Amino acid sequence: MVDTATNRVALVTGGSGGIGRVVSERLARDGMAVAVHYAGNEAGADEVVGGIASAGGRAMTVGGDVADERAMAEAFDAVEQGFGGVDVVVHTAGRMVLGPLTDFDLDDLDGMIRTNIRGTFVVDQLAARRVREGGAIVNFSSSVVKLAMPTYAPYAATKGAVDAVGLILARELRGRDITVNAVAPGPTATPLFLDGKDEETIGHLSKMAPLERLGTPDDVAEAVAFLAGPARWVNGQVVYANGGIV
């Protein structure tokens, strides 16, 4: 079995920015070699890799549209060639467009379906074929699936599908010693989340959790690191990293 703390290789989709960047950096600090995936932000991925390397870690970049099975197969190939295999896949890449269901643009819905559902299916399918014994697959869901907040219906629908894909895959991988879980963040202070929100809205969201603050990317990365490393008896679960919002 591959060691659960060191000598492991992780592929982090969407690792060029936001939560994916912090997850990449955290797994590198935990001793993993990290492949930082990007779709359009190659410069951001290079910056993450440079930071990991400067801190003494091992990292490389890989690119590709997560919904394109050929592009992502090439990304997995590159990781295997560069680091010898894949032990952990963290699928943070996703797309979020908000709006009321009654007049939501169906082109935006199709785009989210492609990235969030097909992308998860493609990445998980490749991970199921490639991740080594003792490995872990961590998808990204969202707390809005159960919070039922207005304007989030299209996005939450795609994340509900992410839950279904991962929970069923965990059972289909019986006998492989590979865990499959999802992290479901709540309101998290990333530039993307904060963009366009006024102070009143941010203040309201920060009070939703009993801890009375927004989450941080480090909070979410902590949950990912647990599932990607020591949490060998946590399997087929959605972990709500949201400070206690119910």
Side-chain angles (χ1 to χ4, degrees):
M1 179 186 293
V2 179
D3 188 281
T4 59
T6 59
N7 301 317
R8 304 183 91 192
V9 177
L11 167 61
V12 181
T13 69
S16 61
I19 291 174
R21 175 183 188 134
V22 178
V23 168
S24 297
E25 294 167 344
R26 171 57 195 264
L27 296 183
R29 290 198 302 274
D30 286 349
M32 297 187 195
V34 181
V36 180
H37 163 271
Y38 65 92
N41 187 12
E42 183 175 6
D46 287 339
E47 183 179 343
V48 177
V49 166
I52 291 172
S54 295
R58 294 187 299 152
M60 63 182 289
T61 62
V62 292
D65 176 359
V66 292
D68 184 331
E69 64 273 27
R70 289 172 292 276
M72 290 311 297
E74 291 174 0
F76 274 80
D77 288 344
V79 179
E80 291 175 344
Q81 292 164 10
F83 290 139
V86 181
D87 302 291
V88 173
V89 174
V90 182
H91 181 47
T92 78
R95 182 181 178 190
M96 180 173 68
V97 182
L98 303 181
L101 187 147
T102 52
D103 56 4
F104 196 79
D105 188 316
L106 293 181
D107 287 338
D108 286 335
L109 177 63
D110 289 342
M112 280 198 292
I113 288 172
R114 186 177 190 280
T115 299
N116 297 354
I117 300 180
R118 180 184 170 91
T120 298
F121 198 96
V122 166
V123 171
D124 280 13
Q125 185 178 72
L126 288 164
R129 296 169 178 171
R130 309 261 194 134
V131 167
R132 294 184 287 201
E133 180 182 356
I137 299 169
V138 183
N139 290 322
F140 261 64
S141 179
S142 173
S143 289
V144 299
V145 173
K146 70 172 183 177
L147 293 177
M149 296 167 61
T151 75
Y152 279 86
Y155 176 70
T158 67
K159 289 302 184 177
V162 170
D163 291 354
V165 169
L167 300 186
I168 292 170
L169 179 59
R171 287 147 181 81
E172 292 182 347
L173 293 182
R174 175 180 292 275
R176 295 273 305 281
D177 192 23
I178 296 171
T179 62
V180 186
N181 295 288
V183 173
T188 305
T190 64
L192 179 63
F193 174 80
L194 297 174
D195 184 44
K197 293 182 174 66
D198 58 32
E199 290 299 322
E200 182 180 358
T201 300
I202 293 171
H204 170 72
L205 291 169
S206 70
K207 296 296 184 181
M208 289 179 67
L211 298 177
E212 294 194 339
R213 66 173 176 84
L214 294 177
T216 69
D218 285 323
D219 292 324
V220 179
E222 183 80 16
V224 173
F226 175 64
L227 295 174
R232 300 308 303 162
W233 197 235
V234 180
N235 189 29
Q237 304 298 317
V238 178
V239 177
Y240 288 89
N242 63 20
I245 299 173
V246 295

